[in-house]
Amino acid sequence: MADKCHLCLLGLIFLSSLLTGSSGVDDAHVFISSGENVRLPCNNALHDCKSTTWIYNRFSQSETVELIGLGIKKKNTERHERLSLGSDCSLNIKNVTKEDYGSYICRQYVNDKQQGNDARVYLHVLRVSSSQTEISAGHSVTLSCQLYSYTGVSCDDWIRSEGIHLFWVNQAGDKLINSDSRYQISAPDHCISTLTTTLLNEDHNREWRCEVTQVKTSVTYTVRYSGSSGVDDAHVFISSGENVRLPCNNALHDCKSTTWIYNRFSQSETVELIGLGIKKKNTERHERLSLGSDCSLNIKNVTKEDYGSYICRQYVNDKQQGNDARVYLHVLRVSSSQTEISAGHSVTLSCQLYSYTGVSCDDWIRSEGIHLFWVNQAGDKLINSDSRYQISAPDHCISTLTTTLLNEDHNREWRCEVTQVKTSVTYTVRYSGEKQTFITYFQKTL
């Protein structure tokens, strides 16, 4: 479990090159951290998935493996249990490992003849690790951050050609550099970065984050000193419409002792979702829930109503074992009430964080010193002093952006971000007649 190895990973997803109106099928790039679940889009799917074949290879000299053949999952692959085909013919991979990186091709066949072009997805896996077994004040720790990636050339060649690199930031978001005597940072190549520091007493529960420039991908290492007692609360941030995994950090050797309990706020009724490893059928979201092999709770197609407090509890012979493991689920959602999206019209985007941690979202986010804000496609923060934008915040968990659309705004993105936790949701303008799209860039487990 993560608390035993002192790691806390962020899973962050970014899809690129999905350009409306361009000819052919563009390659997609998906970034994910190891241990998370991921969805690889099939951008050439036909009306059903019986024509869909998914093919994989890790690098140019590796053997090509057929994972899905004409809509049917192959059973002779080593990761058979972790794969599934989505209703939109996407390829879903549970509990991603560093070995899952590489090239995935979605191909369509009808009557044994290939239809159209391949749709290729490159999966990049980001992982942070430490070889130290003794994590305590006074000891030196070395963190290694590595991007596992192949796009036809080596990861080092590709990341260098794209002009992106790995770097480390502290909990406040400040970039760490070698000129600070606390840290020694090295980069054996462009896809690996190591951070070495001597731990202080106040470093317990402190985070250091490895980031990837441009694609806004990062992994966090949270210090857990050896011998610390209890089970820390976890915070998971997700956007509506995505799938999420809630970790059970007190799981025993199997899940027959595991019970998951939920409530949305202090006055709401407590609901048992999983009882001793068995999913309850009398809950309204029964179909969207499943229990992971590690006793985690998986929720498909998250809605804003899913936010709240989730408790993983262990029972043996009707007696509770150990402490509860609590997970707070925070759901970020961006929306617009306008039906007419076109140049010359005003559009108002509303970004809201649905959150409860024992107090209201507004009280909690204010006490944590975090807030919502908007950035443009270049990553520049939008402010009211720019006459194009009117930004308001009815409370700390809601932010609205109003602007009059220009001709060049078609396919432009505005992103709502949450400080410190690096969570954001992007609104991409699609003028009327085009599909409006919401893209989730980040999801985080603290």
Side-chain angles (χ1 to χ4, degrees), residues 282-301:
N282 58 347
T283 63
E284 61 183 18
R285 48 184 164 171
H286 163 73
E287 296 298 329
R288 297 190 292 116
L289 302 179
S290 63
L291 194 64
S293 58
D294 58 354
C295 310
S296 59
L297 181 65
N298 301 312
I299 309 175
K300 293 183 179 178
N301 192 23

Side-chain angles (χ1 to χ4, degrees), residues 181-192:
S181 59
R182 264 213 77 184
Y183 306 106
Q184 297 81 54
I185 298 170
S186 64
D189 68 28
H190 289 76
C191 292
I192 302 174

Side-chain angles (χ1 to χ4, degrees), residues 285-381:
R285 48 184 164 171
H286 163 73
E287 296 298 329
R288 297 190 292 116
L289 302 179
S290 63
L291 194 64
S293 58
D294 58 354
C295 310
S296 59
L297 181 65
N298 301 312
I299 309 175
K300 293 183 179 178
N301 192 23
V302 168
T303 72
K304 63 183 183 180
E305 287 76 19
D306 290 325
Y307 82 92
S309 167
Y310 293 77
I311 291 175
C312 191
R313 184 174 291 167
Q314 305 300 320
Y315 290 98
V316 175
N317 297 327
D318 295 327
K319 292 184 179 179
Q320 183 176 343
Q321 305 296 302
N323 296 321
D324 289 340
R326 188 185 299 269
V327 184
Y328 292 107
L329 180 61
H330 311 269
V331 179
L332 191 65
R333 182 173 180 265
V334 68
S335 61
S336 172
S337 60
Q338 277 86 343
T339 56
E340 178 68 21
I341 306 290
S342 59
H345 285 77
S346 175
V347 63
T348 297
L349 312 180
S350 178
C351 176
Q352 182 163 356
L353 182 66
Y354 295 85
S355 178
Y356 172 73
T357 60
V359 293
S360 68
C361 175
D362 188 60
D363 289 339
W364 176 74
I365 199 173
R366 186 166 44 187
S367 69
E368 293 294 314
I370 60 181
H371 64 279
L372 309 180
F373 63 96
W374 294 89
V375 299
N376 61 17
Q377 198 153 317
D380 302 320
K381 187 174 181 180

